[in-house]
Amino acid sequence: MKLGLRFIVCLSFLPIFAWAQVEVRRALPVQALDPETYPNPAWVERAVQEIEVRRALPSSAPEPTPLTPNIVVPAPAPPIAVPVPAVPVAVEPAPAVSAELDDASNIRIAPSTNGSPGALALERANNFYSRKMYDLAIPEYELFLISSSGSPTRDAALFRVAECHRMAGNSAAARSAYEKLVSEFKAGEFASAGAYRLGEILFAEKLFEPASIQFDMASSGVNDPEVRLSAGYFAARSLDALKKDDMAEERYRAVLAATGTNPYRDNAAIALAALQLRNGKKAAALSTLGNLVETTSALDVGNSAAMQAAALANELGMQDKALQFYDKVARGTGDDKSRAEATLAALRLRYEANDSAGIIAMGEGLESKVPSDSRSETLQILAATFRKAGKESLAIGIYDRLAKEFPDTATNPDTRYQRLLSLYATKDKNLVAEVDGFLQIAKNPKQIASVSLLKAETLFQQSDYAGAARAYGPIVDNAAFSPDQQKASLYKLAWCLASSGDNPGAIRAYTSFVEKNPQDKLAATAILQRGMARQKTGEFDPSLADFQLVVSGYPFSKEVEIAVLQMALTYGQKKNYPEMAKAFRLLLQKFPNTAAAAQAKFWLGWAAFEEKDYKSAIEQLDSARTLDPAGYRDRATLRILLSYYQLKDRNSAAREADQCKPEMIPAELRVWLAQGMFEAKNFAKAEKLLTPLAASPASMPLEGWLLLADTQRALNKMPEARTSVDKYLSLTEDPDPRARGLLLKSHVALALEKIDEARMAADEALQLQPEGRLNSEARLVAGEIFFKEADFESAARSFMAVSVLTDDPDLTPRAFKRAAEAYRRSGKNVEADKALKEASERYPGSFVNSGT
């Protein structure tokens, strides 16, 4: 009795809430399941302070040991693995809130006023449970369960005794109690909570089939969406472990479709993607990972999913989508390692896709944004990218960096080969030496062949045709080259041989090309070039045969025009001018707009000139210089000038002389033109024509000096005339020419008032010409000398002697007139009148008779 009183007394000291019915709100575990230790979840802690039991469902589920492997999709770069987390993000339990005792929603274990042994045992059990005295609570709960088998709170008591066993470490007893609970009660919140706990135990023991059943029971027996979500997630994991893929995928999708707070979304998505990959559903897995990237709030999860999605998209041939994922990670705020690996992966993918613009758009300093052990590779990719984009100078700069920072890589034949391509594109003057150095270490036949061709092409571009020919030679029969490369090299070999002066070698090479490629588009060109090489070696007939072969064998090729032109020129070299003219006329007939029209017309004019058809020559030559002034103005003008000279058309010749370069006009033609200008009394023009010849005395014809002196005298340039006539006299001893020169010298000296010099010249002329016109002219000069000396009688006698010795209609009337003037000056007017009368009788139409 005392014991009972003491027990009652002890009970009376319990907190007031101990007499209330215990409320179980939620039982979602916040830690991972562990078969060795099964810690008390958060909801139990709340139950200690909140005795009244409302619900017994978990608030969060632990993440069991991963059942699915890491999702690893092969990628060009080592992927960042996306592990399935062993522990999901913890969800803090809601704070415990005591429920009012009269709350209609409370699930009461037993009435507080019931004094039966079972009720008292339940109250004691709850009291011990609230104080975490699980060993003491267990027998009280068992007493209640034995004595109150029909109690409406039996399911709650079964759940609590199972929890006490679990807390006390009695795993087998706890499991037995949970099994008893779910076997007796198929519905209700406590049954569902028990099923959840039993599912956890079975899951930890890898008994996935029964675990899935318990999780399904827990999910279907409650209305709380959070509890259903937790149970559904672990049901999916159980089915996943059982390889019931269709069912597992359906459950995972249900978890992902849940709205509101969802701590399982990320893990469900990762597990679903792994399941889909396991079943070959790559497109579906890509979609799952893509959704995860967009929905997750965990940066590391999002980056890992994005990297896996990118690798998978690339595998599916969706490079653009893969780049979107890689760029998202690379440009994000994740850890440096993830961003570096994403940058490298994006770089590799763009390089494989030949997306040079995309790589350049990734920005400068890419080598500092990738993993350090990939910097060399990145620089090589950048260099190759700039080379492909035509930014050869930038590419060479990066290759130089590689040589400085990564010497082992820079000396690699592949890298050196790529650098040579850039050097070739920039026409680097050191390329040939670089190629020679590369050929000493290269092993790859294709690279050796390629750089050998680069060397030949470089020498060709540098106009080193002899060196290029030596470089092309080994390529022609090298099997490492494609047939097209061999063919092109053979043609260029022939070209280089011809350009370097080895015409026999060029002829052989062109012949080989034509024999091997008779239908090639360059066949006609090769035959044409062979003909020109033969032309240079003087093999005119074989040359003409080649040109004719082009015309007849390849009538529609553009080389026909050149072939006809070369035929004409070859006939010209053979001095077969009729055939040359015929070929030129054929050229103009077949190709009226030919670029060689001026050339054809020039040579047609030239041929006409040679044939003394000067009028035709003028027509053709004038057309030639009109069509191509720069090429034919001077040459054509000279021929036209000569044609007018031959036609004695001095006026037309004078016009042409104005267009012709002075140094091109022949001396004889200049003198001829000057004579015409002199006769037309255009003395200035005559002097202009003769002056260039006087500057080069050796080029002046003899009569030119006399004409120049006469012209200068007419212009009253007496000192210059004296010099010119002296030059003339120094060059001739023939009587007639010398007499003419002496007469002119006498006139000039008289004008300069050098009387003695004038008399000496006149006397010498009289000695050289004792009779004839020149004698008469000498006497006239002698008369003028006497006149100048005022010896008018002697002057009159000299003038009258002319009238006696000659009957020249030009000289004699002048002689009479001057004699009359001399007579009058001497006071002999009768003799003067007599002289004039005789002049008028002998020359009635002379100026003397006209009064002039």
Side-chain angles (χ1 to χ4, degrees), residues 738-759:
R738 187 169 180 79
R740 287 197 301 272
L742 288 168
L743 288 173
L744 182 56
K745 179 177 176 65
S746 181
H747 282 295
V748 173
L750 185 61
L752 293 171
E753 296 187 353
K754 296 181 180 296
I755 304 303
D756 292 341
E757 184 178 325
R759 178 174 283 112

Side-chain angles (χ1 to χ4, degrees), residues 678-692:
F678 183 87
E679 292 172 1
K681 300 187 182 304
N682 191 345
F683 305 121
K685 186 67 175 289
E687 183 187 32
K688 182 179 179 181
L689 284 165
L690 295 171
T691 299

Side-chain angles (χ1 to χ4, degrees), residues 166-442:
R166 186 176 69 83
M167 299 299 183
N170 303 323
S171 301
R175 176 173 180 170
S176 178
Y178 287 132
E179 289 175 343
K180 186 173 182 62
L181 170 63
V182 299
S183 65
E184 290 187 17
F185 298 93
K186 305 301 181 183
E189 290 189 69
F190 288 106
S192 297
Y196 187 91
R197 284 295 195 198
L198 183 57
E200 287 181 321
I201 295 171
L202 295 170
F203 192 98
E205 293 176 356
K206 298 185 179 180
L207 299 174
F208 301 117
E209 184 75 41
S212 67
I213 295 173
Q214 298 305 318
F215 284 129
D216 278 344
M217 179 179 177
S219 175
S220 62
V222 295
N223 295 323
D224 190 324
E226 194 171 347
V227 176
R228 288 201 307 273
L229 180 65
S230 176
Y233 171 72
F234 281 102
R237 293 297 300 274
S238 299
L239 293 168
D240 194 349
L242 292 169
K243 299 295 187 292
K244 295 183 177 182
D245 295 342
D246 291 341
M247 297 175 66
E249 183 171 352
E250 181 182 355
R251 301 298 179 85
Y252 282 134
R253 290 191 182 281
V255 173
L256 292 173
T259 58
T261 303
N262 187 349
Y264 302 101
R265 181 176 286 112
D266 290 358
N267 288 337
I270 293 171
L272 175 58
L275 183 151
Q276 290 167 330
L277 283 175
R278 188 172 70 225
N279 287 283
K281 300 179 179 180
K282 295 181 179 180
L286 175 60
S287 177
T288 300
L289 290 170
N291 290 333
L292 176 59
V293 171
E294 298 299 325
T295 59
T296 183
S297 59
L299 187 60
D300 58 339
V301 173
N303 285 344
S304 296
M307 292 294 287
Q308 290 296 324
L312 187 55
N314 185 36
E315 184 181 344
L316 293 173
M318 304 166 65
Q319 281 76 24
D320 290 343
K321 195 170 189 65
L323 285 171
Q324 291 176 8
F325 287 119
Y326 283 137
D327 288 342
K328 182 179 181 66
V329 177
R331 297 168 185 170
T333 58
D335 62 280
D336 292 342
K337 184 174 183 294
S338 295
R339 288 189 290 112
E341 290 178 344
T343 300
L344 179 61
L347 178 65
R348 286 170 169 165
L349 185 55
R350 286 190 169 99
Y351 182 68
E352 292 172 359
N354 290 320
D355 183 8
S356 298
I359 292 176
I360 294 173
M362 291 178 74
E364 297 181 359
L366 274 178
E367 68 276 10
S368 63
K369 300 177 183 178
V370 300
S372 58
D373 59 354
S374 298
R375 286 192 63 202
S376 172
E377 176 192 356
T378 300
L379 287 173
Q380 291 183 74
I381 289 176
L382 287 175
T385 297
F386 284 129
R387 182 180 61 78
K388 292 178 181 178
K391 301 178 182 294
E392 305 293 350
S393 297
L394 292 176
I396 293 173
I398 295 178
Y399 285 127
D400 291 342
R401 280 189 60 188
L402 278 168
K404 182 178 179 181
E405 299 175 20
F406 303 95
D408 292 342
T409 299
T411 57
N412 181 281
D414 291 338
T415 304
R416 288 188 64 178
Y417 171 73
Q418 295 292 333
R419 181 171 180 272
L420 288 174
L421 296 178
S422 291
L423 291 176
Y424 174 75
T426 57
K427 295 180 171 55
D428 190 279
K429 61 181 181 181
N430 297 318
L431 176 64
V432 173
E434 294 275 357
V435 167
D436 290 339
F438 175 81
L439 291 175
Q440 293 178 4
I441 66 166

Side-chain angles (χ1 to χ4, degrees), residues 566-605:
Q566 291 302 321
M567 284 174 63
L569 296 176
T570 305
Y571 279 123
Q573 291 186 47
K574 292 185 67 176
K575 302 187 184 314
N576 188 343
Y577 302 128
E579 288 298 326
M580 179 188 78
K582 181 179 178 182
F584 275 126
R585 283 192 288 271
L586 176 63
L587 176 66
L588 294 174
Q589 177 185 348
K590 292 177 69 68
F591 306 98
N593 297 319
T594 177
Q599 184 180 18
K601 288 183 175 293
F602 174 80
W603 288 109
L604 284 171

Side-chain angles (χ1 to χ4, degrees), residues 5 54 84 125 130 143 164 262 367 382 431 469 515 605 630 661 804:
L5 290 173
R54 292 176 61 98
V84 179
S130 66
L143 177 60
C164 287
N262 187 349
E367 68 276 10
L382 287 175
L431 176 64
E515 290 174 350
K661 290 181 178 180
V804 173

Side-chain angles (χ1 to χ4, degrees), residues 568-569 571-585 588 598-622 624 632 635-636 639-640 642-643 646:
L569 296 176
Y571 279 123
Q573 291 186 47
K574 292 185 67 176
K575 302 187 184 314
N576 188 343
Y577 302 128
E579 288 298 326
M580 179 188 78
K582 181 179 178 182
F584 275 126
R585 283 192 288 271
L588 294 174
Q599 184 180 18
K601 288 183 175 293
F602 174 80
W603 288 109
L604 284 171
W606 186 92
F609 183 90
E610 293 298 314
E611 295 293 328
K612 296 181 172 43
D613 185 359
Y614 300 117
K615 291 184 179 180
S616 296
I618 292 170
E619 179 183 356
Q620 296 290 352
L621 292 168
D622 183 59
Y632 294 101
R635 288 192 292 169
R639 287 276 171 174
I640 292 172
L642 292 172
S643 295
Q646 296 295 335

